[in-house]
Amino acid sequence: MMSFKVFKFGGASVKDAAAIENLHAILRCYPDDNLVVVISAMGKTTNFLEKVLHAYYHDPDQVETLVSELEKQHKDVAIRLVPDPGSILDRIGELFNQLRTKLAEEHSNNYDFDYDQIVSFGELLSTTIISMYLNLAGLPNTWLDARRLVRTDSTYREGHVDWDTTVNQICENIGGHSDRVFVTQGFIGGTAEHLTTTLGREGSDYSAAIMAYALDAESVTIWKDVPGLLNADPKRFPDAVKLDEIPYEEAVELSYYGASIIHPKTLKPLQNKQIPLYVKSFFHPEEEGSVIKSCSERNKIPSIIVKDHQTLLTVFPRDFSFIAVENLSELFAVFAKYRIRVNMMQNSALSFSVCTDAEPDRVAQCVAALHDKYKVKYNEDVQLITIRHYNKQIIDKVLAGRTAILRQTSRATIQFVVVGG
Ligand code: ASP
Ligand code: MG
């Protein structure tokens, strides 16, 4: 099979016409490579479509105002990109007709299903505009519908990939084609019944990994607005440093604890096939960036990962029994049912605590389900701070003046649940 490079461009890298021109300039630096270009929705479009969905359920009068605003934003980008945007505007109009048709129907009462049918338009729009623009600008490419490439089950908002079908579909549509450049959507997939699914927020990285895995690609590059993978968020820690080479295992740990730079599911498929993942700056494409690959970690630079919007749930059996395996298995069954993500957990004789994402609806349902047998205490709006390769100095710096209400230590990792932001 041909050798491919997979590129992923996130929302920030396609947020307006200038950013899309920059994407074009980056692609032009690879005239001899076969490229699969995986693209997210433009800028904050996904958040905006979440607002549309919310209005669809709770405030239908607002729907058209929001949709028109989104249509105008996308059309404005097309108008700025090409002198004669007629064909692109027509295609954008068609996609908005489809979206309006969906929104004119009664909602299904399955919020997650409707989420995927609506929010997926962000990626359909961005890729349509970019693919057509590139074709007009002299970079011939083929647009592919990721819903026919990435097969998932019907777990809406978090589709689980059916790898066999997905690999076949990708190899047939991309591997068996003579074109050089393919443009497709991140984040979205489709069921066997051709219903749209999504892979979870920020899932475009994962889409890129899926494509790379299926094609045995040479590499994946994620183009970002940062110079590479840093050991902390520079907005919080101005002295953050770039990590040049990171072994897969270490990167998996970092993303698992919430380093928002790469979607956690992205790395496993790449590691399985030993495909290196580059993280590079779209402002400075000539610079090195970071690479995640099989390597030994030479200098263990401490990394700090802060997860905001966390809720700490502490449950106490009402019957004064100790926390035992029976309770734990019961609790985990409830967590699984309401998709409570366990970011950290700890037990004592009489209580069990988990730090989870602040998803008020899911948490409320979970608490209600536990109510008969357990008393539940909440701490809302806490932060989960994880430090890999910690030392005393770093802990003191990170915790300075703050209260940790839970702490957990292992050889390489220390975690704190901290009150307030
Ligand atoms: N557009 C989706 C999101 O914002 C997927 C992605 O950007 O990776 O979550
Ligand atoms: Mg994004």
Side-chain angles (χ1 to χ4, degrees):
M1 195 155 59
M2 273 187 295
S3 170
F4 283 93
K5 288 191 166 87
V6 177
F7 284 176
K8 182 260 174 171
F9 289 91
S13 60
V14 293
K15 71 176 194 306
D16 54 25
I20 294 171
E21 280 163 352
N22 184 54
L23 173 153
H24 181 199
I26 292 176
L27 298 188
R28 276 205 313 251
C29 299
Y30 296 84
D32 302 321
D33 289 294
N34 298 306
L35 302 178
V36 177
V37 185
V38 174
I39 304 176
S40 301
M42 288 169 45
K44 300 272 176 247
T45 301
T46 304
N47 293 354
F48 197 94
L49 283 162
E50 286 182 346
K51 275 207 262 174
V52 172
L53 176 74
H54 186 266
Y56 179 48
Y57 268 73
H58 303 292
D59 190 5
D61 290 347
Q62 272 305 307
V63 168
E64 182 47 38
T65 316
L66 292 168
V67 172
S68 320
E69 189 182 328
L70 196 66
E71 184 169 16
K72 180 165 182 318
Q73 283 169 13
H74 282 84
K75 288 190 165 166
D76 283 349
V77 170
I79 292 165
R80 291 216 176 84
L81 277 172
V82 290
D84 185 9
S87 58
I88 309 187
L89 296 181
D90 288 349
R91 193 64 201 116
I92 297 174
E94 282 167 30
L95 286 166
F96 273 95
N97 283 344
Q98 291 171 21
L99 176 60
R100 286 194 173 89
T101 306
K102 166 73 193 158
L103 292 166
E105 291 166 11
E106 196 69 23
H107 68 64
S108 71
N109 254 331
N110 178 347
Y111 196 83
D112 291 350
F113 169 78
D114 288 329
Y115 183 102
D116 288 358
Q117 310 319 304
I118 290 165
V119 174
S120 52
F121 274 93
E123 271 70 12
L124 295 171
L125 284 160
S126 65
T127 52
T128 298
I129 295 170
I130 294 166
S131 169
M132 291 180 84
Y133 154 70
L134 292 173
N135 272 322
L136 292 169
L139 203 155
N141 69 93
T142 304
W143 183 92
L144 291 170
D145 187 335
R147 296 171 296 185
R148 299 294 173 101
L149 300 176
V150 178
R151 168 68 61 80
T152 72
D153 67 2
S154 52
T155 312
Y156 295 104
R157 287 180 77 182
E158 207 174 331
H160 300 136
V161 173
D162 164 351
W163 285 93
D164 288 344
T165 311
T166 299
V167 168
N168 283 338
Q169 294 189 142
I170 292 174
C171 288
E172 246 165 57
N173 284 286
I174 299 181
H177 218 283
S178 58
D179 292 346
R180 187 178 74 81
V181 180
F182 296 87
V183 170
T184 192
Q185 305 79 46
F187 183 52
I188 73 176
T191 65
E193 295 75 37
H194 297 314
L195 293 165
T196 307
T197 53
T198 65
L199 305 174
R201 283 303 307 260
E202 304 301 330
S204 296
D205 295 346
Y206 184 38
S207 303
I210 295 167
M211 304 289 166
Y213 178 93
L215 294 166
D216 268 320
E218 174 187 327
S219 62
V220 173
T221 305
I222 298 185
W223 296 94
K224 303 225 39 141
D225 55 359
V226 289
L229 270 175
L230 306 181
N231 73 328
D233 177 354
K235 290 186 201 110
R236 293 181 206 266
F237 301 97
D239 51 358
V241 294
K242 181 165 80 71
L243 305 169
D244 298 333
E245 273 190 15
I246 309 110
Y248 291 109
E249 299 76 18
E250 182 63 15
V252 170
E253 293 286 350
L254 294 175
S255 66
Y256 177 80
Y257 290 123
S260 61
I261 196 116
I262 294 167
H263 189 280
K265 287 185 180 170
T266 308
L267 292 159
K268 275 293 188 61
L270 299 181
Q271 182 181 15
N272 280 0
K273 292 221 172 163
Q274 297 287 303
I275 300 169
L277 172 67
Y278 295 89
V279 178
K280 281 167 74 89
S281 159
F282 58 71
F283 299 123
H284 303 287
E286 67 293 345
E287 284 176 11
E288 281 283 317
S290 302
V291 57
I292 299 168
K293 61 178 188 184
S294 277
C295 56
S296 56
E297 207 177 3
R298 278 164 306 177
N299 38 358
K300 299 196 166 159
I301 300 174
S303 298
I304 310 164
I305 304 128
V306 180
K307 240 171 143 45
D308 288 318
H309 309 301
Q310 298 291 295
T311 299
L312 181 68
L313 287 177
T314 305
V315 307
F316 307 84
R318 287 191 189 274
D319 62 2
F320 301 111
S321 65
F322 293 124
I323 293 288
V325 268
E326 291 75 21
N327 307 96
L328 293 175
S329 88
E330 189 170 71
L331 290 168
F332 276 98
V334 174
F335 295 158
K337 177 158 179 209
Y338 296 104
R339 290 160 73 183
I340 297 291
R341 212 190 120 111
V342 177
N343 295 328
M344 174 182 171
M345 61 184 171
Q346 193 157 302
N347 69 304
S348 72
L350 295 174
S351 71
F352 179 77
S353 301
V354 307
C355 185
T356 183
D357 299 342
E359 289 264 5
D361 294 345
R362 288 184 194 171
V363 170
Q365 286 173 326
C366 167
V367 171
L370 292 173
H371 178 267
D372 284 349
K373 290 176 110 173
Y374 297 89
K375 197 169 94 196
V376 184
K377 262 179 39 186
Y378 278 76
N379 275 288
E380 280 182 307
D381 210 17
V382 294
Q383 268 182 348
L384 177 63
I385 302 180
T386 305
I387 311 175
R388 294 275 299 165
H389 308 312
Y390 56 91
N391 57 46
K392 176 155 183 337
Q393 216 185 340
I394 274 258
I395 295 173
D396 291 347
K397 181 174 141 186
V398 168
L399 284 186
R402 310 190 57 193
T403 317
I405 51 176
L406 209 65
R407 102 170 34 203
Q408 202 168 74
T409 316
S410 72
R411 213 174 330 159
T413 310
I414 189 162
Q415 293 192 291
F416 303 96
V417 175
V418 177
V419 185

